[in-house]
Amino acid sequence: MTTSPFYPGPLGALRMRLEYLGLRAGLAPLRALPLDTASGISGRLWRTLAPHMRRHARVREHLAFAFPELSDAARERIAVASWDNLGRVVAESAHVDELVADPSRFELPADVDRYRRLARTGCVFVSLHLGNWEIAALPVLGRNVSVAGTYQAIQNPLVDRYVRRLREPIYKGGLFPKGHATARKLVSIVRSGGSVGFLADLRERRGIKVVFFDRPAYANPFPASLARLADLPIVAGCMVRTEGARFRLHLTTIEQTRTADRTFDVLDTTQTIHDVFEHWIRAHPEQWMWSHRKWALRPADDG
């Protein structure tokens, strides 16, 4: 029987099982519906319900300092639209296999083959929670391209295993939970010429500070550190939603700082990654996940 330290005892095991069954029950109707219908219904549901949740206040706060020049009404429209996008991502995660099988849903850059060649010879992909981030690596892969991915493990092991299986078709090189063992595994992969991918816009409390929307923000230095260690290029990408469950892929190569000072190089390259992310978010603010704690919010953290 599956156990978890986060769900101790018989009652914990029961709660763990109920959460898992609740997730399956919630995704089953979305899976039963056609992809476009499920995406639209889930988007409308989230944009209706989420503004009444506590996290909506955090979204408003973040938008207020990110876009002080906008009116309250304009920022509220962005906030509501961002919930719509998140709802669509939830529904589309239940249809990953269909997305994998339907390249017509993706508009690719003219030079996508150049990035596929980089993936075959080894590179570090970084993306962000914009558009549909779950499939950001998908069109880059093409044939004979294998990328390993990382994800934040869910405390409920039953839920974690189910969600991981939904994502696994995209990551032919394997999908690994964040942690020290995974870090060692990824070092081994890149040293052997493989490619790895990260969602690199999340808050990393033990990471380094960068400037993001003119404020200090916590960032994960590992992608830049890994690329420097293995002397690999860094490719940033995002999957922007164009209409419904259709997308446009944006790709760019990150200019890395290379000096004799490793610490400075990693910090400066991580800042460059976040500068690219900010550019994409400013172009499509309604598609970024504003609800997570990216910034240093306490005055003591801003020094």
Side-chain angles (χ1 to χ4, degrees):
M1 180 179 180
T2 302
T3 59
S4 168
F6 299 104
Y7 295 82
L11 290 179
L14 177 61
R15 178 188 163 205
M16 180 172 60
R17 185 71 178 174
L18 290 174
E19 288 179 355
Y20 167 71
L21 293 175
L23 174 66
R24 294 294 300 264
L27 289 181
L30 296 174
R31 176 66 181 174
L33 291 169
L35 169 57
D36 293 286
T37 303
S39 176
I41 289 175
S42 185
R44 288 192 295 272
L45 184 65
W46 277 72
R47 72 181 294 130
T48 301
L49 298 179
H52 302 287
M53 297 165 55
R54 285 187 299 173
R55 284 201 177 188
H56 192 63
R58 186 189 303 166
V59 172
R60 285 172 169 165
E61 179 185 7
H62 291 169
L63 284 168
F65 66 71
F67 298 102
E69 72 281 6
L70 296 182
S71 66
D72 290 344
R75 290 195 295 264
E76 186 67 15
R77 285 193 292 271
I78 293 172
V80 172
S82 71
W83 289 121
D84 182 288
N85 183 74
L86 181 56
R88 287 180 175 274
V89 172
V90 170
E92 289 155 7
S93 68
H95 291 266
V96 167
D97 54 339
E98 294 179 49
L99 291 168
V100 169
D102 189 0
S104 70
R105 291 183 177 273
F106 306 102
E107 179 183 338
L108 306 182
D111 58 348
V112 67
D113 286 338
R114 179 170 73 89
Y115 294 101
R116 286 172 174 167
R117 287 193 293 272
L118 288 177
R120 291 190 187 98
T121 56
C123 71
V124 174
F125 283 107
V126 291
S127 189
L128 70 164
H129 290 80
L130 183 79
N132 189 327
W133 54 88
E134 296 284 5
I135 56 173
L138 181 57
V140 183
L141 300 182
R143 293 185 176 182
N144 304 318
V145 180
S146 176
V147 175
T150 63
Y151 75 102
Q152 182 64 53
I154 301 170
Q155 290 182 350
N156 185 321
L158 297 176
V159 173
D160 180 76
R161 183 172 59 191
Y162 178 69
V163 172
R164 186 176 69 249
R165 285 177 178 172
L166 291 175
R167 295 168 171 168
E168 280 176 343
I170 299 173
Y171 297 97
K172 299 177 183 178
L175 186 60
F176 308 99
K178 291 181 180 179
H180 294 298
T182 291
R184 292 192 294 270
K185 175 67 175 179
L186 296 181
V187 169
S188 176
I189 289 173
V190 297
R191 280 181 167 169
S192 63
S195 294
V196 299
F198 300 89
L199 282 168
D201 61 330
L202 287 174
R203 168 187 168 103
E204 185 65 47
R205 187 62 181 86
R206 297 181 180 178
I208 58 179
K209 285 184 183 178
V210 296
V211 177
F212 195 50
F213 286 89
D214 299 320
R215 288 173 66 101
Y218 294 109
N220 184 358
F222 189 60
S225 179
L226 192 63
R228 189 184 190 280
L229 173 68
D231 194 23
L232 292 179
I234 301 175
V235 174
C238 68
M239 187 65 71
V240 173
R241 189 180 304 278
T242 55
E243 183 181 2
R246 296 186 176 277
F247 310 91
R248 180 186 302 116
L249 179 66
H250 294 267
L251 293 168
T252 188
T253 303
I254 297 295
E255 183 176 348
Q256 298 183 59
T257 303
R258 297 289 177 90
T259 70
D261 187 339
R262 176 189 174 279
T263 300
F264 173 79
D265 292 353
V266 170
L267 174 60
D268 204 51
T269 299
T270 303
Q271 179 66 64
T272 301
I273 292 171
H274 279 71
D275 290 344
V276 171
F277 287 173
E278 182 176 333
H279 171 75
W280 283 335
I281 295 167
R282 287 187 179 276
H284 307 279
E286 76 287 351
Q287 296 192 34
W288 194 55
M289 193 171 70
W290 291 95
S291 58
H292 70 268
R293 294 184 180 276
K294 177 63 178 177
W295 287 272
L297 299 178
R298 297 187 304 274
D301 289 337
D302 291 337

